[in-house]
Amino acid sequence: MARTSILMAMEDFYAVHRNYTTKLVLHIRDSNGDNMRAASQAVDLLQNYYVRAIIGPQKSSEATFVSDIGNNSQVPVISFTATNPTLSSADVPYFLRATLSDAAQVNSLAALIKAYGWKEVVPIYEDTDYGRGIIPYLVDALQEFGASMPYRSAISRSANSDQVEKELYKLMTMPTRVYIVHMSSAFGFGSTLFTKAKELGMMSGAYAWILTDGIANVVDSLSPSVLDAMDGALGVRFHVPKSKELDDFTKRWNARYRQDNLDDPPLQLSIFGLWGYDTIWALAQAAEKVSMDNATFQKQQDIKNSTCLGTLGISTMSIGHKLLDAILQRKFRGLSGDFDLRSRQLQSSIFQIINVVRREPKGIGFWTAKHGIIQNLNQNGSEHTYLNSGPNLTQVVWPGEVSTVPKGWQIPTNGKKLRVGVQTSGYPELMKVEMDPLTNAIIATGYAIDVFEEVLKRLPYAIPYEHVAFHNVKGVSHGSYDDFVYQVNLGVYQIAVGDITIRHNRTSYADFTLPYTESGIAMIVPVKDGTTKGTWIFLKPLTTDLWFGSIVFFIFTGAVIWLLERRIDNTELTGSISRQLGIAIFFPFFADRERVESILSRLVIIVWALVLLVITSSYTANLSSMLTVQQLQPTVTDVHELLEKGEYVGYTNGSYLGDLLEQIGFDRRKIKAYNPDDFDDALYEGSKNGGIAAVIEEVPCIKIFLSKYCKGYTMIGPIYKSEGFGFAFPKRSPLVEDFSRAILSITEGDTIIQIERKWIGDQHACQNDGPTIGSSSLNFKNFSGLFLLTGVASTSALLIALVMFLYKRYKIGDSTGLIETTADSNPPHDMQLTVPDDSDGYAYQQEIEISRVLTSPCSEVQTPDFTLHGTPGNGL
């Protein structure tokens, strides 16, 4: 392919530039893929043919040798196929890469991995400098996107079909099902890999295969049988912009290749052929710019061996350096796109993503350095952005001709089971581990195991598993929970199940699922009767403000009734002031129908009686509760109270809570570790008698304790936040996401409640579970509405009485004026004036006899006589 492109480039260039004074002369050599032969051919060309530049070699390992030779001779070496990132122009400045470094594509590969949510990837690469060179860059790119390489499959280029098959079998025993294939030649080695993979059933819907540009760039030239084996694979390759010049060249190239290679199978032009074509154009332009007249080589040493490296000459008159600078300054639009070697290698910001479907590579999208994965490019080459959660690609056909995205991992079907680490908990209800005496099999039961088994039922796939006990299953020599979780990191288990608290320090070596229990750290403290039944207990049902308010409203109500009855001359309100005051106090409690005469007073008493009825009833009920019901109160309500008093506290042996208590500020000597069964005795003894004042424990464990020892203890808190219990997995395990999703569905439904009832019991059976609050005294605020009602009623009655009094005064004044105006024209007569009173059933009329002696105008004016009949004190 390269030879045809280079020859056509020579012809096309000088057909366009007929007036150039320089012309390239080709000396073609074949290394046959051998590094030493490539170096030998380079020495021969430099020493015997005095070449000014070397194009090639093809392999990165060959380029390593040839670039050193060219650098020593100050002759530019240009390779358009050596992509190993370790080939650096910093070490060999005369080496130029007219292609992309393999490191340029790793971000596009990592973007695909992230887009489909895969967490683990296994690279399959040839065990050469080319294959190994990309791995460090790929590892860094994957880590940036949250993925990892649990295994690296390096296959020797000398491996036969059986060895490739053996390696594939090894991959099938591992859970990872996403592979990145990085190989330089698809015509032999890569073809064998995919053919064997299909035979073993690895080109199915459970697998995902991604090709690097080593294969993807030449996939068009693969045989139909190899393409059929690759069906469903994805790949990334250099994006070549379409142009009319490219279409015309492709037609001419196909015809030329068939003409020059009659005995070879058909071959499709690839990007490597375009880079070879553009390289000749860049070198021919640079040669024209640099004067080659009188350019010679100065030999370093004159010895007979023509291939000895010591006899190589150095290009004189700085021709090599000038030619190198001229090449670096060449920037033009070639058939492959923008050809620019100023960075000593080509740069690309766009890769095409392909999908091999029915023996044909199909473009499904692009990756750009600016926008990541996109589906289309517009006509002027700028990128569109698409805001969505998944990869913005055309529909992908995966291996097995399925459209469902592979989940990226699978439990191996090689007979191995998932190793589930278990450890007996201090609370057997959470986890109990035993050994079957007949089979020696580990049997685990408890709350955590029921949740684990329920999770397995909800997974879309089956997982065979076996329990593996941590340390001694008899519970004699258990390690800490940190040690238990760390076994996952060491590979002893694939998952750790139990009452494992999700803690920050543990996340450095393990990944956790979502919590499946309630979170929080609380205290277990004894309770005591908080009520003191003393001499003055009858005052406790009401608070001081309610007692004071009742007295104030009592006095106010009595005063209102006294004023209302005094206005109508109630006979009960006669006598001395002290007697009237005593009767006024008597009215609010014992006023009855016969003693109260005013209807307004009766209205005030009705409302006040309602208030008294409610208050006395509430008082009686509260006093009865205080005298008969035991009011339990916690002995400690705050963890800081324990610190201030210097009390002893306890925690479960082996728990991290001991370290937490020290961080809070407890003296290590005041912290005691117990087995949960010993908490009751330690709390009963108390801090002063060698026991403890409180137990610091996680909420799920406290609920189990209270289900056994309900009487005498209560829970205070939570006092600190914790994340709850979860399952531990190795870092970046693909099972974490599926397990977390299943746990979420369990905790949102009724299943978790049924499991809790099975192992913990009814959470509401123990009334001490939670803050204990005894009967409290009634305060003024509890009856503010009633006092407002009686206050409004009393005040309204006073206002109504005042209005009636003022109205009667106004009426009487009008009647007196009318009598005086008729005195001269009427004879003396008696008048009776009936004045209505506001009393109802007891109303009476007062007769007033008014006599007036009328005289003639000439007579002396005489003073009229008034005779009043009625009850004194009526105000008239």
Side-chain angles (χ1 to χ4, degrees):
M1 182 188 299
R3 183 176 184 276
T4 301
S5 297
I6 289 175
L7 292 176
M8 292 182 65
M10 293 280 292
E11 297 170 2
D12 292 347
F13 183 82
Y14 290 109
V16 176
H17 304 89
R18 298 180 181 273
N19 59 337
Y20 272 28
T21 58
T22 59
K23 186 176 182 179
L24 298 183
V25 178
L26 295 179
H27 299 271
I28 299 177
R29 297 291 186 270
D30 186 359
S31 66
N32 290 327
D34 182 79
N35 298 339
M36 296 306 298
R37 182 176 175 83
S40 176
Q41 295 289 355
V43 171
D44 177 58
L45 291 171
L46 288 170
Q47 191 172 41
N48 299 324
Y49 294 88
Y50 305 108
V51 295
R52 302 289 183 248
I54 298 176
I55 297 178
Q58 178 180 341
K59 294 168 55 179
S60 296
S61 57
E62 297 174 10
T64 302
F65 286 90
V66 176
S67 61
D68 286 335
I69 295 173
N71 193 64
N72 291 333
S73 300
Q74 297 183 4
V75 172
V77 177
I78 311 170
S79 175
F80 53 85
T81 53
T83 58
N84 188 352
T86 59
L87 289 171
S88 173
S89 297
D91 299 328
V92 280
Y94 281 84
F95 173 75
L96 302 179
R97 196 200 313 265
T99 181
L100 300 179
S101 167
D102 283 334
Q105 63 181 317
V106 295
N107 287 330
S108 62
L109 296 169
L112 277 175
I113 301 301
K114 179 184 179 183
Y116 289 109
W118 297 320
K119 300 298 183 182
E120 291 185 348
V121 180
V122 171
I124 304 176
Y125 57 95
E126 59 182 61
D127 194 10
T128 62
D129 291 343
Y130 164 80
R132 294 186 296 268
I134 194 176
I135 298 301
Y137 300 91
L138 186 58
V139 169
D140 293 342
L142 291 175
Q143 287 181 348
E144 184 178 352
F145 288 107
S148 64
M149 288 183 186
Y151 176 73
R152 303 177 187 182
S153 178
I155 304 177
S156 172
R157 288 201 41 106
S158 61
N160 56 32
S161 178
D162 292 337
Q163 291 172 324
V164 172
E165 181 177 344
K166 181 179 179 181
E167 182 65 21
L168 291 176
Y169 270 121
K170 185 176 181 180
L171 293 176
M172 293 176 66
T173 64
M174 303 176 184
T176 306
R177 292 293 182 263
V178 181
Y179 307 117
I180 294 179
V181 181
H182 182 59
M183 295 180 178
S184 59
S185 175
F187 299 100
F189 193 47
S191 301
T192 302
L193 175 71
F194 281 99
T195 302
K196 282 297 180 181
K198 184 169 184 177
E199 291 177 2
L200 298 178
M202 298 180 70
M203 299 303 296
S204 63
Y207 295 82
W209 296 81
I210 302 176
L211 311 174
T212 64
D213 62 0
I215 294 178
N217 283 334
V218 297
V219 71
D220 300 279
S221 300
L222 299 179
S223 65
S225 61
V226 176
L227 287 175
D228 183 66
M230 287 183 177
D231 194 56
L234 297 181
V236 294
R237 64 183 182 184
F238 181 82
H239 170 60
V240 180
K242 294 182 179 180
S243 65
K244 184 177 181 302
E245 293 78 9
L246 177 60
D247 293 339
D248 294 340
F249 176 78
T250 303
K251 294 177 182 179
R252 294 191 298 114
W253 188 93
N254 291 332
R256 179 69 174 269
Y257 183 83
R258 288 192 297 268
Q259 177 183 346
D260 295 345
N261 303 276
L262 296 177
D263 297 332
D264 294 337
L267 190 66
Q268 297 293 324
L269 176 64
S270 73
I271 184 61
F272 296 110
L274 300 181
W275 281 331
Y277 184 93
D278 291 340
T279 299
I280 291 296
W281 277 65
L283 183 56
Q285 294 180 52
E288 177 65 19
K289 184 178 180 181
V290 177
S291 175
M292 293 293 185
D293 297 338
N294 300 322
T296 62
F297 276 90
Q298 179 182 357
K299 290 188 177 182
Q300 296 180 339
Q301 184 177 358
D302 187 11
I303 59 177
K304 294 182 179 181
N305 189 353
S306 63
T307 61
C308 181
L309 298 180
T311 63
L312 292 179
I314 299 177
S315 180
T316 59
M317 301 177 64
S318 302
I319 295 299
H321 183 71
K322 291 181 180 179
L323 183 61
L324 176 66
D325 289 342
I327 296 173
L328 294 176
Q329 294 174 7
R330 295 298 95 192
K331 180 181 179 182
F332 60 93
R333 183 77 171 181
L335 294 179
S336 62
D338 292 332
F339 194 88
D340 184 4
L341 293 179
R342 286 179 297 179
S343 298
R344 297 181 180 270
Q345 65 181 11
L346 291 183
Q347 303 292 326
S348 175
S349 60
I350 302 177
F351 283 89
Q352 184 184 27
I353 302 174
I354 62 172
N355 182 204
V356 180
V357 181
R358 295 185 179 90
R359 301 182 178 182
E360 182 181 354
K362 175 186 175 184
I364 59 174
F366 301 90
W367 178 89
T368 70
K370 184 177 181 181
H371 297 296
I373 297 176
I374 58 177
Q375 187 172 350
N376 296 302
L377 298 175
N378 62 10
Q379 295 181 354
N380 60 12
S382 63
E383 300 85 357
H384 292 290
T385 57
Y386 300 88
L387 299 177
N388 55 16
S389 57
N392 187 27
L393 297 172
T394 305
Q395 180 65 47
V396 176
V397 178
W398 299 99
E401 296 186 356
V402 298
S403 58
T404 304
V405 178
K407 64 177 178 288
W409 66 274
Q410 189 178 41
I411 299 300
T413 58
N414 58 348
K416 292 186 178 180
K417 296 181 179 180
L418 187 74
R419 294 172 61 84
V420 180
V422 291
Q423 174 180 237
T424 296
S425 169
Y427 298 89
E429 295 83 358
L430 293 177
M431 175 72 79
K432 184 178 181 181
V433 181
E434 298 175 318
M435 179 180 291
D436 190 317
L438 298 178
T439 63
N440 290 331
I442 301 299
I443 301 175
T445 57
Y447 182 98
I449 289 296
D450 280 8
V451 174
F452 172 73
E453 293 177 349
E454 187 64 31
V455 168
L456 294 182
K457 295 177 183 178
R458 301 185 182 225
L459 296 178
Y461 43 85
I463 299 181
Y465 67 93
E466 61 180 351
H467 292 141
V468 181
F470 176 58
H471 289 267
N472 188 350
V473 299
K474 295 182 180 180
V476 177
S477 60
H478 287 293
S480 68
Y481 276 84
D482 287 341
D483 295 335
F484 178 41
V485 175
Y486 195 73
Q487 302 305 307
V488 174
N489 183 57
L490 297 177
V492 179
Y493 323 124
Q494 281 77 50
I495 176 177
V497 175
D499 50 336
I500 305 171
T501 304
I502 303 173
R503 300 198 66 210
H504 175 266
N505 68 306
R506 295 172 181 170
T507 59
S508 62
Y509 48 81
D511 283 343
F512 289 87
T513 62
L514 291 175
Y516 61 87
T517 62
E518 185 178 353
S519 62
I521 300 172
M523 296 191 302
I524 303 174
V525 298
V527 293
K528 62 180 181 180
D529 189 358
T531 304
T532 303
K533 299 177 178 62
T535 305
W536 302 98
I537 191 174
F538 69 90
L539 295 176
K540 290 187 177 181
L542 306 182
T543 59
T544 304
D545 60 339
L546 182 54
W547 280 114
F548 180 76
S550 300
I551 294 173
V552 170
F553 272 88
F554 161 75
I555 297 173
F556 176 69
T557 303
V560 170
I561 296 174
W562 181 81
L563 290 174
L564 294 176
E565 294 301 310
R566 176 72 178 173
R567 186 179 60 83
I568 60 173
D569 292 330
N570 190 320
T571 56
E572 293 291 338
L573 297 177
T574 58
S576 64
I577 294 299
S578 60
R579 180 178 180 278
Q580 293 184 35
L581 188 60
I583 294 175
I585 295 174
F586 170 84
F587 273 139
F589 286 103
F590 306 103
D592 52 31
R593 184 181 182 89
E594 291 73 16
R595 292 177 176 273
V596 178
E597 298 177 354
S598 172
I599 188 173
L600 296 176
S601 299
R602 293 179 182 181
L603 176 62
V604 172
I605 288 178
I606 290 173
V607 176
W608 176 248
L610 175 63
V611 174
L612 283 182
L613 176 63
V614 174
I615 293 178
T616 54
S617 300
S618 302
Y619 173 85
T620 303
N622 205 17
L623 181 61
S624 300
S625 175
M626 290 182 175
L627 293 174
T628 58
V629 178
Q630 188 179 25
Q631 307 296 328
L632 299 178
Q633 297 290 339
T635 55
V636 179
T637 58
D638 193 337
V639 67
H640 298 289
E641 183 179 347
L642 297 171
L643 279 171
E644 294 174 358
K645 295 181 179 181
E647 302 281 6
Y648 287 89
V649 294
Y651 71 98
T652 302
N653 190 21
S655 172
Y656 71 94
L657 293 175
D659 296 332
L660 176 64
L661 290 172
E662 287 192 65
Q663 295 175 10
I664 294 174
F666 281 93
D667 188 343
R668 185 62 192 176
R669 295 170 296 179
K670 299 289 185 179
I671 304 173
K672 297 182 178 182
Y674 292 92
N675 291 324
D677 292 337
D678 299 329
F679 283 156
D680 181 44
D681 294 336
L683 288 170
Y684 179 79
E685 293 175 358
S687 182
K688 296 181 179 180
N689 299 317
I692 53 177
V695 172
I696 307 300
E697 188 57 278
E698 299 197 61
V699 172
C701 300
I702 292 178
K703 290 183 176 181
I704 294 176
F705 177 84
L706 293 179
S707 66
K708 298 178 181 179
Y709 306 98
C710 178
K711 185 177 181 180
Y713 302 103
T714 188
M715 180 179 74
I716 300 298
I719 58 175
Y720 287 99
K721 179 68 176 176
S722 71
E723 295 302 323
F725 298 157
F727 302 143
F729 288 87
K731 294 292 288 184
R732 294 175 294 276
S733 171
L735 286 172
V736 175
E737 183 176 349
D738 290 344
F739 265 66
S740 295
R741 188 179 294 108
I743 288 174
L744 190 60
S745 67
I746 292 173
T747 55
E748 287 180 346
D750 185 61
T751 306
I752 195 67
I753 298 177
Q754 300 301 325
I755 295 176
E756 288 180 356
R757 288 178 179 174
K758 175 182 176 181
W759 294 103
I760 300 179
D762 188 2
Q763 299 182 19
H764 303 288
C766 182
Q767 297 180 358
N768 295 340
D769 183 8
T772 305
I773 302 176
S775 298
S776 58
S777 300
L778 302 174
N779 55 39
F780 183 83
K781 187 177 181 180
N782 299 135
F783 302 96
S784 57
L786 290 175
F787 285 119
L788 178 63
L789 179 62
T790 185
V792 171
S794 300
T795 304
S796 300
L798 280 178
L799 293 176
I800 293 173
L802 178 61
V803 171
M804 293 177 64
F805 173 73
L806 295 177
Y807 177 77
K808 286 184 287 185
R809 288 284 301 269
Y810 174 75
K811 284 295 185 181
I812 293 174
D814 288 348
S815 298
T816 304
L818 179 61
I819 295 173
E820 290 177 351
T821 56
T822 57
D824 294 334
S825 57
N826 296 299
H829 63 278
D830 294 335
M831 297 182 59
Q832 288 188 348
L833 178 63
T834 302
V835 181
D837 190 60
D838 60 336
S839 58
D840 191 5
Y842 297 92
Y844 61 91
Q845 293 183 346
Q846 299 182 11
E847 296 182 352
I848 303 175
E849 247 181 48
I850 302 176
S851 299
R852 182 171 182 180
V853 180
L854 301 178
T855 59
S856 61
C858 299
S859 63
E860 183 179 355
V861 178
Q862 299 183 3
T863 302
D865 295 329
F866 294 92
T867 303
L868 301 173
H869 299 278
T871 303
N874 58 6
L876 295 178

